[in-house]
Amino acid sequence: MKTLFRLSRLILPLFPVMALAVIFGTLGFFSAISIPVLGIESLTRSFPLKFLVLAGVLRGVLHYAEQYCNHFIAFTLLARIRNIVFEKLRRLGPAKLDGKQKGSLISLLTSDIELLELFYAHTVSPVCIAFLVSASVIAFLLRFHWILAAAAFISFVLVGIFIPAFAQHFSVKAGKEKREKFSQMNSFLLDCLRGLSQTILFGTGEKRLSMIKTKSEELSKVQKKMSINEGLTAALIEGSVFFCDILMLFTAIFLYQKEIIDFNAAVISVAALFSSFGAVIAVARLGSSLSQTIAAGKRVLDLLDENPIVQAVENCEKITEFAGAECEDVSFSYTDASESFNQIEKSQNGDSVGISNPCGNQILSGISLSFPKNKIIGIQGKNGSGKSTLLKLLMRFWDADSGKIKISGTAIQKINTADLRKIESYVTQETMLFHDTIENNIKIARLNSTHDEIVAACKKASVHDFIESLPNGYETEISELGENFSGGERQRLGLARSFLHESEFLLLDEPTSNLDSYNEKIILDSVKAESKQKTVVLVSHRSSTLEICDEIHKIENGRKC
């Protein structure tokens, strides 16, 4: 109920449209009920048959209007929820997204949110309509006799409340399990597709296929269980409606035999109940299918409830000029920082599945470094020594456990996050490329840049000639994850982004690891030239790369040597 209540609150901005849907739906059912009632009236008294035709036409028109309003609400809210979820992911990243299965997030952003359509289009207004129609039919039967009204009340409560509650109780566990299995299946298939070349290379296709089959069978078992529940629910609904119809029929006959009501009242009351079950049946059928929607909605809401490890900073004093940076006795461990997505990833028994640092060791300990303006500072060390982590702390992807990191003499926790992103530019070891043109991929560093500025940045990164050699030049489409480019080409495109960004503090993490000596020299010359206007932090294990540095600091086991 808490999940449904929170999902319902999102409808408030569209309440007028929802009200129209309820009005149209209620009037539509009144039109449907009036057809047999008016038909019986026409047999006993002079009644124009054209009203029956009008009621039939109105039923179709009003039902269409109701569905149009409901789906307008649903698709508007789904789009809004996707925006909210993506914005939340942006705020949670990268700290809380490291180690998170991307397939699970894709499942949440697509199928989980899509399932909410059932709630917004086929639950909220049908429940309101069922209540209004049922209450109106009970009031209508009350004018004949209170026993008829009581029989209708029992019928509506049984079909519209007890049956969906009963079905939902037995389906909620299966619905939750299906969403989990489906999410796991998505993650596994995504891994299989991304690692297809490695699977072929090492001949592990049969094993992968066997694992896919196993996961498919597990998902099928849950789906079969849900199908059985849905079938039993449908049978229970039909049986209950039949029982309630018989109850009303014998009640009306009993009252007629006792001469409490006349024949006309008996027939009309039976016809009214028989034709009024449509509204409550629509609600009753939601019982089993709604369990999946509740499970999906809970996953979405749990994500929205997550608190970022690093809180974005706004409305602080702006830093207009970069005057160097420094680390003072900085220590950091991923053990505390990398908290799990504890509300999204659940084990089958409902316990949280943590995502933590497998080593649990302290990454940095007591690091103190200074990064003077317009200097190139080199950081050297073995893999796992904490070099990349230091750059992430400078970017404030995480906050240090202890110590201070300052830019222009101000602690980075007191610098507006948007300003910090303008001041700094970060080139990672693995460059992420989007499925778009080369120009648009580079342009994300500065959206208002011109083509000439993009070309100039690419020349600095020694990638312009390569781009020009392609058939479509800068309009060449990059495949998913940039798989149609080599590691060196992706790395140079990442460098082009950083040069286009025009930040004053440039952080380079192994910028030449995938380059040959010739391209390495060209890029290092560009970095050297850029240092006249920028402060550069250059992380590398190559001594040749660090030759351009003004200062070199070594880090081993998280400590400065």
Side-chain angles (χ1 to χ4, degrees):
M1 292 304 297
K2 182 180 178 182
T3 299
L4 294 177
F5 176 73
R6 291 186 61 189
L7 291 174
S8 301
R9 289 174 60 188
L10 296 174
I11 302 175
L12 291 178
L14 297 171
F15 179 78
V17 183
M18 179 59 71
L20 282 177
V22 173
I23 292 170
F24 290 144
T26 304
L27 293 177
F29 275 108
F30 285 166
S31 299
I33 295 169
S34 67
I35 293 173
V37 173
L38 294 178
I40 294 170
E41 287 280 357
S42 66
L43 296 176
T44 57
R45 63 183 73 175
S46 178
F47 197 87
L49 292 178
K50 63 182 179 181
F51 286 108
L52 296 179
V53 177
L54 179 62
V57 173
L58 280 175
R59 168 58 178 156
V61 172
L62 291 168
H63 180 69
Y64 175 83
E66 176 213 343
Q67 291 298 307
Y68 181 88
C69 291
N70 282 334
H71 285 87
F72 173 81
I73 292 168
F75 296 131
T76 300
L77 288 178
L78 293 190
R80 188 173 298 172
I81 290 170
R82 287 192 184 96
N83 289 336
I84 293 171
V85 169
F86 189 81
E87 173 65 17
K88 185 67 177 186
L89 288 173
R90 189 184 68 80
R91 291 183 178 276
L92 291 174
K96 274 204 172 180
L97 298 185
D98 270 11
K100 178 72 177 124
Q101 290 184 335
K102 299 303 182 286
S104 178
L105 291 177
I106 292 171
S107 176
L108 190 148
L109 281 165
T110 53
S111 61
D112 282 350
I113 293 178
E114 192 65 28
L115 272 174
L116 298 182
E117 187 262 345
L118 175 67
F119 175 73
Y120 290 119
H122 304 288
T123 301
V124 181
S125 69
V127 169
C128 297
I129 292 167
F131 174 78
L132 292 174
V133 170
S134 300
S136 300
V137 171
I138 292 171
F140 174 74
L141 295 177
L142 193 60
R143 62 190 284 254
F144 297 118
H145 199 278
W146 69 267
I147 294 180
L148 296 174
F153 175 79
I154 293 171
S155 300
F156 292 142
V157 170
L158 175 63
V159 178
I161 297 178
F162 281 107
I163 290 179
F166 178 80
Q168 200 274 335
H169 174 74
F170 284 95
S171 301
V172 63
K173 185 177 179 181
K176 180 180 178 182
E177 188 178 357
K178 181 181 178 181
R179 298 316 308 157
E180 291 169 355
K181 295 290 184 185
F182 186 77
S183 175
Q184 292 168 9
M185 186 67 155
N186 271 3
S187 296
F188 186 75
L189 288 176
L190 187 61
D191 282 343
C192 289
L193 289 173
R194 287 179 174 174
L196 190 59
S197 59
Q198 299 298 313
T199 300
I200 295 172
L201 178 64
F202 294 107
T204 58
E206 290 297 327
K207 182 179 179 182
R208 283 280 173 178
L209 195 60
S210 175
M211 294 173 70
I212 291 174
K213 183 179 179 181
T214 300
K215 290 183 178 295
S216 297
E217 289 174 350
E218 291 175 354
L219 182 58
S220 295
K221 287 179 182 178
V222 181
Q223 289 175 326
K224 183 179 179 180
K225 188 187 300 183
M226 292 204 65
S227 297
I228 292 173
N229 289 340
E230 289 174 3
L232 291 174
T233 301
L236 191 59
I237 291 170
E238 296 300 328
S240 299
V241 169
F242 178 75
F243 168 78
C244 293
D245 287 341
I246 296 299
L247 173 66
M248 176 58 77
L249 178 62
F250 280 101
T251 302
I253 292 173
F254 172 78
L255 294 175
Y256 171 70
Q257 289 177 340
K258 294 293 183 180
E259 298 183 353
I260 297 174
I261 60 174
D262 59 21
F263 178 78
N264 194 47
V267 175
I268 289 177
S269 61
V270 172
L273 184 72
F274 281 20
S275 59
S276 63
F277 274 113
V280 290
I281 287 176
V283 175
R285 286 174 177 166
L286 294 172
S288 56
S289 56
L290 194 60
S291 60
Q292 281 194 76
T293 302
I294 293 172
K298 192 172 188 308
R299 281 162 53 86
V300 172
L301 293 174
D302 285 343
L303 169 64
L304 298 181
D305 288 339
E306 283 286 328
N307 293 316
I309 292 175
V310 177
Q311 295 288 346
V313 178
E314 298 175 349
N315 302 320
C316 284
E317 184 178 350
K318 290 187 177 181
I319 295 181
T320 57
E321 183 179 354
F322 177 77
E326 56 187 330
C327 300
E328 299 178 358
D329 197 25
V330 171
S331 296
F332 177 77
S333 172
Y334 284 110
T335 305
D336 297 325
S338 294
E339 296 177 359
S340 66
F341 247 84
N342 56 350
Q343 298 296 329
I344 301 173
E345 292 214 342
K346 307 281 187 178
S347 64
Q348 291 188 14
N349 61 6
D351 295 330
S352 300
V353 178
I355 303 172
S356 59
N357 178 34
C359 300
N361 298 326
Q362 193 168 39
I363 306 300
L364 296 173
S365 178
I367 295 292
S368 294
L369 290 171
S370 179
F371 307 100
K373 187 176 180 179
N374 300 337
K375 295 286 185 179
I376 302 178
I377 308 300
I379 299 178
Q380 189 175 25
K382 298 177 182 179
N383 290 336
S385 60
K387 308 184 303 296
S388 299
T389 298
L390 180 61
L391 298 189
K392 292 175 182 178
L393 292 178
L394 287 167
M395 287 293 297
R396 201 170 174 250
F397 290 168
W398 284 271
D399 281 328
D401 297 338
S402 61
K404 292 182 180 180
I405 298 177
K406 297 180 179 180
I407 291 179
S408 299
T410 302
I412 58 174
Q413 290 86 354
K414 296 182 180 180
I415 300 175
N416 291 328
T417 302
D419 294 336
L420 189 66
R421 299 293 182 259
K422 291 178 182 179
I423 293 170
E424 298 177 320
S425 187
Y426 178 36
V427 180
T428 60
Q429 297 182 41
E430 295 294 331
T431 299
M432 170 63 200
L433 297 178
F434 298 96
H435 183 42
D436 202 342
T437 64
I438 291 177
E439 180 159 333
N440 287 338
N441 262 276
I442 298 171
K443 198 173 183 178
I444 64 170
R446 186 155 54 87
L447 295 177
N448 61 350
S449 57
T450 64
H451 177 72
D452 290 340
E453 290 171 333
I454 293 171
V455 170
C458 289
K459 286 180 178 179
K460 291 179 183 179
S462 186
V463 73
H464 172 72
D465 292 339
F466 162 72
I467 296 173
E468 286 293 295
S469 69
L470 299 173
N472 296 320
Y474 283 84
E475 294 302 314
T476 301
E477 288 279 341
I478 296 177
S479 66
E480 186 179 4
L481 301 179
E483 292 180 348
N484 56 337
F485 289 161
S486 68
E489 290 159 355
R490 291 197 297 268
Q491 198 165 33
R492 282 182 286 168
L493 290 173
L495 283 166
R497 283 176 179 167
S498 67
F499 290 142
L500 182 65
H501 190 54
E502 293 187 343
S503 59
E504 296 181 79
F505 194 27
L506 181 59
L507 311 178
L508 304 177
D509 190 359
E510 299 284 1
T512 61
S513 59
N514 293 318
L515 303 179
D516 54 35
S517 299
Y518 174 74
N519 282 305
E520 179 186 32
K521 184 179 184 307
I522 293 175
I523 287 174
L524 291 178
D525 288 343
S526 296
V527 171
K528 183 72 174 176
E530 287 289 304
S531 67
K532 295 178 181 178
Q533 297 87 28
K534 301 178 186 290
T535 298
V536 181
V537 181
L538 180 57
V539 167
S540 180
H541 63 276
R542 287 185 182 180
S543 299
S544 59
T545 301
L546 297 173
E547 288 178 356
I548 66 168
C549 297
D550 299 306
E551 299 177 20
I552 299 176
H553 302 279
K554 291 186 178 181
I555 295 179
E556 288 187 9
N557 298 321
R559 295 180 179 273
K560 180 181 173 183
C561 299

